[in-house]
Amino acid sequence: MNNGLLVVISSPSGGGKTTIIRKIVERDPQRCVYSISATTRAPRSGEQNGKDYYFLDDEAFQAKIEQGEFLEWERVHGYYYGTDLSSIQVWLQQGKVVLLDLDVKGALQVANILKDQTVTIFIAPPSLDTLIKRLKNRKTDSNEEIEKRLERIPMEMEKSKKFDAVIVNENLDKTVDQVLKIIENHIH
Ligand code: 5GP
């Protein structure tokens, strides 16, 4: 693997990382690519297989683990999530900037495996209150799902200390600019 760069973005659920990643890919679609993960969780309304995630059942996911098809995988909020290894290899060889939306543990794992080609960025909410409001406004998760997401926050904040950069997401455009600057600094 050479040339390319893995930009791993993590944040507590509702932190806005999906929008941030989408905006970055839109700004430079020639060079940037989004790594679509596999998951065993069910699609939320509006989510599409092969665009948001590859939605798999437990058995298919386990088979992929056994066949060594994941660069990393984690169990998050009771479901499995994993990053496809072979597409990452191809993109790195092509010199792409690959954006990954991973939980904090997966992010640090990738940084461990591919140290010289990875930059980890943690997107922190301006406050816990803002985050709770965003999660509730999203209306995509049940109260139980929201609780599960909130329970993880202390662990996520702790692990964020190990990231290369932490950006407080006060303003979407500013955050996107900051991420782009970090990418530029790592390419040149
Ligand atoms: P959601 O179910 O809200 O889409 O995602 C739940 C969490 O799983 C988020 O923190 C997201 O970043 C993380 N996630 C998504 N794909 C992957 C993956 O391939 N690997 C890991 N480790 N986490 C992932």
Side-chain angles (χ1 to χ4, degrees):
M1 294 195 198
N2 46 26
N3 285 328
L5 179 70
L6 301 183
V7 181
V8 188
I9 301 196
S10 292
S11 75
S13 210
K17 61 187 178 296
T18 316
T19 318
I20 293 162
I21 291 175
R22 208 189 56 225
K23 288 207 167 234
I24 289 168
V25 176
E26 271 170 14
R27 282 210 201 171
D28 190 355
Q30 300 280 43
R31 191 168 58 170
C32 297
V33 61
Y34 174 58
S35 163
I36 302 164
S37 296
T39 184
T40 59
R41 95 155 153 69
R44 295 194 185 110
S45 86
E47 283 184 334
Q48 288 171 28
N49 190 36
K51 179 172 172 275
D52 299 288
Y53 281 107
Y54 295 105
F55 295 99
L56 304 178
D57 60 22
D58 272 4
E59 204 179 319
F61 198 98
Q62 286 302 330
K64 280 184 177 287
I65 294 177
E66 278 156 32
Q67 284 152 19
E69 290 186 28
F70 291 124
L71 169 61
E72 63 73 46
W73 62 269
E74 288 289 338
R75 201 173 155 87
V76 187
H77 312 136
Y79 304 104
Y80 289 100
Y81 294 84
T83 306
D84 182 59
L85 174 62
S86 62
S87 26
I88 298 287
Q89 285 171 324
V90 170
W91 287 325
L92 284 179
Q93 273 158 8
Q94 292 173 341
K96 296 276 187 195
V97 170
V98 186
L99 289 131
L100 298 97
D101 166 350
L102 306 185
D103 89 299
V104 285
K105 291 182 186 169
L108 295 174
Q109 260 206 71
V110 172
N112 251 328
I113 304 168
L114 293 165
K115 251 184 220 74
D116 299 334
Q117 286 157 293
T118 301
V119 55
T120 50
I121 304 174
F122 186 84
I123 308 290
S127 71
L128 195 57
D129 270 2
T130 326
L131 185 67
I132 295 171
K133 268 191 209 129
R134 276 195 210 157
L135 266 179
K136 293 197 168 154
N137 283 341
R138 199 158 76 165
K139 297 199 170 80
T140 47
D141 304 295
S142 65
N143 283 341
E144 193 194 332
E145 292 286 333
I146 291 175
E147 279 309 313
K148 271 200 257 175
R149 284 165 164 72
L150 294 178
E151 270 168 26
R152 258 177 90 84
I153 294 175
M155 181 280 284
E156 292 174 326
M157 298 309 287
E158 185 56 34
K159 293 253 189 261
S160 73
K161 295 176 187 161
K162 294 191 174 147
F163 278 58
D164 297 317
V166 176
I167 300 174
V168 179
N169 186 20
E170 309 250 18
N171 169 292
L172 184 59
D173 286 333
K174 252 194 202 156
T175 302
V176 171
D177 286 342
Q178 279 174 282
V179 174
L180 284 168
K181 205 164 178 193
I182 294 170
I183 295 174
E184 287 307 321
N185 286 341
H186 276 79
I187 290 174
H188 300 299

